[in-house]
């Protein structure tokens, strides 16, 4: 079986979905998978290992000074039919047997759905986030697009058991399957810098990833909680420009802004810090369901860091359920600064607790190991394909 994976976001475009697609693809051979994604008019070149799947790019993005996705919707609409034609030609030329389309971008997901139906080959979708349930989505055709994609999908893969549970309850379908984030290499234990130890005069905290409506309120609250406490400092590694963080409401004077770090360098960077910070939105522009079901991409490198994690995340979210089940982080689930400081003090004052958190994190991370996740995915698709062939 040869799969075409269609995703608007692929490297070198920065973002969680790009990393998810990249890590997933590394567990396939060239003969098993081909990836199609978006590109801008001018973008950095991307070099990949020889034995990994090929990536093809389709020009669909216009930006001004690196921003402005929302302002060029007209251009994307103009490129929609050419994208469908591109996907159909790839299916034919590459002898594609199966198409999987990634959301969070309806443009590429919908185009892949239409192309697969036209070429009469099996199709599944992969939702990294909710779509119509997200209050930030204003497209009047959103429900129509989602229904078309759901109806065409043999499976709707989702990022977590939380999303699966929510979708099954709402839509009464059994086609939803978790396809979790992945990583492909366990860190060398000899290169871990170790736990911080008890009662240090100063603890260096670190947070990584995209800071937007999915986690901004929690990040802002965390930064404010430690602003007058010389015992703690917080560094942020993110591709979001400093000026945009300010515009989004984060006082950048309260943090050390470190800018973008390449995915391959994240683990090394984390070794320079004492405690990892994982923030997850309580409120914001996405809506209750989105905050309940989001599972942050950055969770996995934090689990692998060999450092204790403090998570600031709302009650009722799947992330909280996950942390409570695996006991892999000190969880602060109330929106007040005093609880944050108490959580930090709990970690800093007890070396045994630090070791316990790190050991639980390392064990928890194993469920995201790429080869195992992809082996299960291949089995799911193979079983479905075999059943379809038997019914012909």
């Amino acid at each position: 079986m040869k799969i075409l994976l269609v995703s608007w976001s692929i490297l070198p475009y920065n973002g969680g979905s790009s990393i998810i697609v990249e890590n997933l693809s590394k567990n396939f051979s060239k003969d098993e998978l081909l990836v199609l994604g978006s590109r801008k008019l001018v973008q950095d070149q991307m070099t990949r290992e020889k034995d990994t799947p090929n990536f093809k790019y389709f020009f669909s993005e216009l930006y001004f000074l690196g921003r402005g996705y929302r302002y060029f919707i007209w251009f994307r609409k103009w490129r929609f039919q050419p994208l469908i034609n591109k996907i159909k030609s790839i299916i034919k030329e590459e002898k594609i047997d199966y198409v999987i389309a990634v959301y969070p971008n309806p443009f590429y997901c919908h185009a892949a759905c239409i192309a697969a139906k036209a070429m009469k080959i099996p199709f599944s979708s992969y939702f990294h986030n909710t779509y119509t349930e997200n209050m930030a989505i204003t497209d009047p055709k959103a429900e129509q697009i989602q229904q078309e994609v759901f109806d065409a999908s043999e499976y709707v893969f989702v990022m977590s058991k939380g999303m699966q549970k929510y979708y099954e309850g709402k839509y009464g379908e059994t086609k939803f399957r978790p396809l979790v984030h992945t990583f492909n290499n366990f860190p060398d234990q000899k290169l871990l810098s170790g736990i911080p130890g008890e009662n240090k005069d100063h603890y260096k905290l670190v947070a990584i990833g995209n800071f937007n409506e999915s986690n901004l309120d929690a990040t802002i609250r965390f930064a404010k909680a430690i602003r007058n406490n010389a015992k703690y400092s917080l560094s942020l590694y993110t591709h979001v420009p400093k000026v945009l963080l300010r515009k989004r409401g984060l006082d950048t004077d309260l943090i050390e802004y470190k800018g973008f770090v390449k995915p391959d360098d994240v683990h090394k960077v984390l070794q320079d810090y004492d405690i990892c910070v994982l923030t997850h939105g309580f409120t914001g522009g996405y809506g209750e369901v989105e905050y309940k079901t989001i599972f942050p991409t950055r969770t996995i490198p934090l689990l692998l860091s060999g450092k204790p994690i403090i998570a600031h995340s709302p009650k009722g979210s799947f992330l909280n359920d996950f942390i409570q089940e695996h006991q892999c982080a000190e969880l602060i689930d109330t929106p007040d600064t005093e609880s944050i400081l108490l959580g930090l003090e709990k970690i800093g004052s007890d070396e045994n607790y630090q070791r316990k958190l790190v050991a639980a994190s390392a064990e928890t991370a194993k469920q995201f190991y790429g080869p195992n996740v992809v082996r299960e995915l291949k089995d799911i698709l193979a079983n479905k394909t075999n059943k379809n062939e038997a019914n012909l």
Side-chain angles (χ1 to χ4, degrees):
M1 177 188 295
K2 188 170 186 179
I3 301 168
L4 173 62
L5 179 62
V6 179
S7 173
W8 164 67
S9 180
I10 60 175
L11 294 179
Y13 179 85
N14 297 320
S17 287
S18 297
I19 295 171
I20 292 167
V21 169
E22 191 74 20
N23 288 345
L24 189 71
S25 71
K26 290 179 180 178
N27 294 282
F28 292 88
S29 69
K30 283 185 177 182
D31 295 333
E32 293 176 317
L33 184 74
L34 187 148
V35 181
L36 173 68
S38 70
R39 72 169 179 86
K40 298 176 285 188
L41 183 61
V42 178
Q43 73 176 18
D44 297 333
Q45 294 298 310
M46 182 77 189
T47 302
R48 294 180 171 88
E49 297 176 12
K50 291 183 179 180
D51 296 333
T52 55
N54 289 324
F55 280 64
K56 293 181 179 289
Y57 291 85
F58 180 80
F59 173 45
S60 61
E61 310 304 316
L62 287 178
Y63 291 92
F64 177 71
L65 298 177
R67 296 287 157 190
Y69 174 86
R70 70 184 66 182
Y71 303 120
F72 294 98
I73 292 176
W74 61 269
F75 181 75
R76 224 163 284 112
K77 289 181 177 179
W78 179 63
R79 296 291 284 161
F80 188 64
Q81 187 58 50
L83 175 58
I84 294 172
N85 295 338
K86 177 69 173 180
I87 296 170
K88 289 165 67 175
S89 69
I90 290 175
I91 291 171
K92 183 177 181 180
E93 294 167 7
E94 298 288 341
K95 296 181 172 56
I96 298 296
D97 303 300
Y98 207 105
V99 174
I100 299 177
V102 173
Y103 174 83
N105 183 278
F107 179 72
Y108 275 73
C109 189
H110 192 203
C113 173
I114 293 171
K117 286 195 293 185
M119 300 298 286
K120 295 182 171 57
I121 65 169
F123 170 82
S124 286
S125 50
Y126 185 14
F127 279 68
H128 293 180
N129 301 95
T130 58
Y131 181 22
T132 59
E133 293 81 8
N134 187 344
M135 63 182 291
I137 302 298
T138 58
D139 186 352
K141 294 183 178 180
E143 289 191 10
Q144 175 187 333
I145 292 171
Q146 178 171 288
Q147 190 63 55
E148 183 177 350
V149 171
F150 276 14
D151 288 345
S153 298
E154 291 188 335
Y155 293 102
V156 179
F157 295 105
V158 294
M159 288 309 303
S160 68
K161 292 179 181 178
M163 279 188 70
Q164 178 190 26
K165 182 179 179 180
Y166 173 78
Y167 273 159
E168 286 178 344
K170 180 172 182 178
Y171 297 105
E173 295 270 7
T174 59
K175 63 172 64 177
F176 302 106
R177 295 286 189 280
L179 179 56
V180 298
H181 306 253
T182 60
F183 73 95
N184 296 312
N185 296 296
F186 286 95
D188 186 343
Q189 296 298 305
K190 296 178 182 178
L191 300 180
L192 297 177
S193 61
I195 59 174
E198 296 180 1
N199 302 317
K200 292 179 62 176
D201 292 334
H202 184 79
Y203 287 89
K204 296 171 62 180
L205 314 180
V206 61
I208 60 173
N210 188 5
F211 295 92
N212 55 22
E213 289 290 339
S214 69
N215 56 15
L216 258 181
D217 74 306
T219 306
I220 291 170
R221 188 160 46 250
F222 201 101
K224 287 181 177 179
I226 64 172
R227 64 181 166 185
N228 295 321
N229 195 321
K231 192 172 182 178
Y232 307 107
S233 60
L234 175 63
S235 296
L236 258 63
Y237 288 83
T238 179
H239 66 276
V240 181
K242 194 172 184 178
V243 64
L244 188 53
L245 288 177
R246 288 198 196 100
K247 187 176 180 181
R248 291 175 177 177
L250 177 63
D251 184 350
T252 53
D253 291 335
L254 303 181
I255 56 108
E256 292 184 42
Y257 179 80
K258 297 292 187 177
F260 175 67
V261 57
K262 295 180 180 179
D264 290 343
D265 295 332
V266 167
H267 182 73
K268 182 179 179 181
V269 163
L270 295 179
Q271 300 313 303
D272 293 333
Y273 293 87
D274 298 309
I275 300 172
C276 293
V277 177
L278 177 61
T279 54
H280 179 64
F282 285 63
T283 60
Y286 284 170
E288 181 181 355
V289 172
E290 187 72 0
Y291 290 113
K292 183 176 182 179
T293 58
I294 288 173
F295 190 83
T297 313
R298 61 194 179 280
T299 305
I300 296 176
L302 300 189
L303 291 172
L304 292 166
S305 68
K307 303 294 178 179
I309 301 169
I310 183 168
H312 187 34
S313 177
K315 294 178 181 178
S317 65
F318 170 70
L319 179 61
N320 278 35
D321 294 341
F322 175 85
I323 291 171
Q324 289 169 336
E325 178 183 354
H326 298 287
Q327 295 295 299
C328 54
E330 170 63 16
L331 180 61
I332 311 301
D333 60 4
T334 56
D336 66 272
T337 58
E338 184 62 26
S339 294
I340 293 171
L341 291 173
L342 288 173
L344 288 170
E345 183 64 25
K346 182 179 178 181
I347 293 174
S349 63
D350 190 340
E351 187 171 316
N352 288 330
Y353 185 50
Q354 295 171 19
R355 295 186 188 282
K356 181 180 177 181
L357 288 177
V358 169
S361 293
E363 184 63 29
T364 302
K366 292 178 181 178
Q367 64 188 273
F368 302 102
Y369 185 49
N372 294 339
V373 173
V374 169
R375 187 181 304 115
E376 184 176 348
L377 171 62
K378 290 178 181 179
D379 288 343
I380 290 172
L381 296 182
N383 289 338
K384 187 70 175 183
T385 301
N386 291 338
K387 288 180 182 179
N388 289 341
E389 291 175 351
N391 292 331
L392 291 178

